[in-house]
Amino acid sequence: MSNHTELREFILMGIPQTEGLETVFLVIFSFVYFFTLFGNFLILIAIYASSTLHTPMYFFLGLLSIFDMFFPSVTCPKMLFYLSGQSRAISYEGCAAQLFFYHFLGSTEGCLYSVMAYDRFVAICYPLRYMLIMKPRVCVGLVIGTWLVGFLHATMLISFTFKLTYCGPNHVNYYFCDIPAVIPLACTDSSLAQKVGSTNVSLLALMLLLSICVFYTGIGIAILRIRSAEGRKKAFSTCSAHLTAILCAYGPVIIIYLQPTPNPVLGAVVQILNNLVSPMLNSLIYSLRNKEVKRSLKRVFHNVVNTVLE
């Protein structure tokens, strides 16, 4: 990539129109980031510690927790670094890596939401054949498929973005290297890269959201066919946490990339919700609304306390 640019670094300008609030944001984002890592780590411990949670549903939930720890780690540490008064400079290679992993992890997590919706569809619509359909080999294959889609998606975006020549201004008017903030700095025609970036992101998000809607339409029809109210309530409760997490994840993405006239301040606020708040909320959603996870965490906590007292 160094053959295509004269710039060796970019300067991250931070969240637009927030000058003077660095200390406030440093405290808030540090707390949110720590809670995100801690909450998702607890979910991983709960799933690992309880043999009753070693099922396809919790296998995918564990992967989601891993992604929810890595996804904010792409942008948050650097943001906290310069909010604390350190350098805002990021190397050319670091900027490219930030853009790649942001879209790789984001799109892979979006694919994982669709896989989790399919898992719930099979569990509710074909309960007697669930373990036969969702065999370990099938689950691993679905996960590999999500990684492959995410990798191809991110590779295409970074190829079009960083094949451009960057030789002029290097001030990225954003808090991390994303396509809408980096491409305008190119010295050459960037119209094709802009079209490919917006089209690729929009199409992938809409396709994944459509697949989730299809699966949950089937789930809704199956739930309505359940005769007992208790059975309908139990079936819905297994999906409510997942639906809530999907709304938290896809709401910001739709607002950011499909708004007709981009607003830098609104885009930054919504992006922060997507990068930091949604991964934190996932840990709360799945821990507070899932009885099995709460029971496993209680057992782990009691075991730790007993070990310490002994």
Side-chain angles (χ1 to χ4, degrees):
M1 284 185 280
S2 60
N3 295 330
H4 299 278
T5 181
E6 296 178 6
L7 293 179
R8 298 312 309 157
E9 68 177 18
F10 293 95
I11 307 297
L12 300 174
M13 301 306 295
I15 304 171
Q17 302 179 20
T18 59
E19 291 79 6
L21 299 174
E22 288 81 3
T23 303
V24 176
F25 285 134
L26 176 63
V27 174
I28 294 174
F29 295 151
S30 297
F31 173 78
V32 173
Y33 183 53
F34 171 78
F35 194 87
T36 299
L37 297 180
F38 182 70
N40 284 286
F41 182 68
L42 286 181
I43 290 180
L44 286 175
I45 292 177
I47 294 173
Y48 177 79
S50 177
S51 59
T52 59
L53 301 184
H54 295 174
T55 63
M57 173 183 173
Y58 292 102
F59 170 67
F60 297 132
L61 177 56
L63 287 175
L64 180 63
S65 295
I66 293 174
F67 281 114
D68 281 338
M69 288 192 289
F70 281 116
F71 186 49
S73 298
V74 174
T75 59
C76 193
K78 179 61 180 178
M79 180 172 62
L80 295 178
F81 183 75
Y82 64 70
L83 285 176
S84 64
Q86 305 301 314
S87 173
R88 293 176 176 267
I90 183 172
S91 67
Y92 181 86
E93 292 78 9
C95 186
Q98 201 174 57
L99 191 150
F100 174 82
F101 283 106
Y102 173 78
H103 285 279
F104 168 64
L105 293 171
S107 57
T108 304
E109 186 167 332
C111 293
L112 187 59
Y113 279 121
S114 295
V115 170
M116 294 174 73
Y118 172 70
D119 173 72
R120 291 300 84 205
F121 171 78
V122 175
I124 292 175
C125 297
Y126 306 99
L128 299 180
R129 298 169 54 194
Y130 174 68
M131 295 307 299
L132 181 64
I133 296 175
M134 300 301 294
K135 295 182 291 187
R137 184 167 54 185
V138 174
C139 294
V140 172
L142 289 171
V143 170
I144 293 175
T146 64
W147 288 344
L148 183 61
V149 171
F151 177 79
L152 293 176
H153 170 72
T155 300
M156 181 180 295
L157 294 182
I158 195 175
S159 297
F160 278 91
T161 301
F162 286 95
K163 75 176 182 179
L164 301 172
T165 302
Y166 295 91
C167 56
N170 67 340
H171 287 72
V172 179
N173 192 28
Y174 212 44
Y175 69 96
F176 76 101
C177 291
D178 197 12
I179 296 173
V182 174
I183 285 183
L185 302 178
C187 300
T188 53
D189 181 25
S190 61
S191 57
L192 178 60
Q194 289 177 334
K195 290 179 181 178
V196 170
S198 59
T199 302
N200 202 333
V201 172
S202 301
L203 282 179
L204 181 61
L206 289 175
M207 288 175 59
L208 294 175
L209 188 58
L210 179 61
S211 69
I212 291 172
C213 291
V214 170
F215 289 134
Y216 270 98
T217 299
I219 290 172
I221 294 173
I223 291 176
L224 291 176
R225 290 177 179 173
I226 299 176
R227 295 182 178 181
S228 67
E230 184 64 26
R232 287 195 297 269
K233 182 180 179 180
K234 183 178 180 181
F236 179 76
S237 66
T238 62
C239 303
S240 59
H242 185 222
L243 277 173
T244 306
I246 289 172
L247 291 175
C248 292
Y250 277 95
V253 172
I254 293 174
I255 294 175
I256 293 169
Y257 291 100
L258 298 185
Q259 54 181 325
T261 55
N263 185 312
V265 179
L266 176 63
V269 172
V270 176
Q271 194 79 282
I272 288 172
L273 291 176
N274 184 45
N275 288 12
L276 289 175
V277 180
S278 291
M280 180 188 69
L281 290 179
N282 280 351
S283 61
L284 287 174
I285 291 167
Y286 284 108
S287 60
L288 296 179
R289 302 195 64 176
N290 192 300
K291 295 179 180 178
E292 288 80 6
V293 172
K294 286 193 289 187
R295 281 197 293 264
S296 179
L297 285 175
K298 287 179 181 178
R299 285 196 297 269
V300 171
F301 178 75
H302 289 311
N303 291 336
V304 171
V305 171
N306 292 333
T307 302
V308 172
L309 293 178
E310 291 177 357

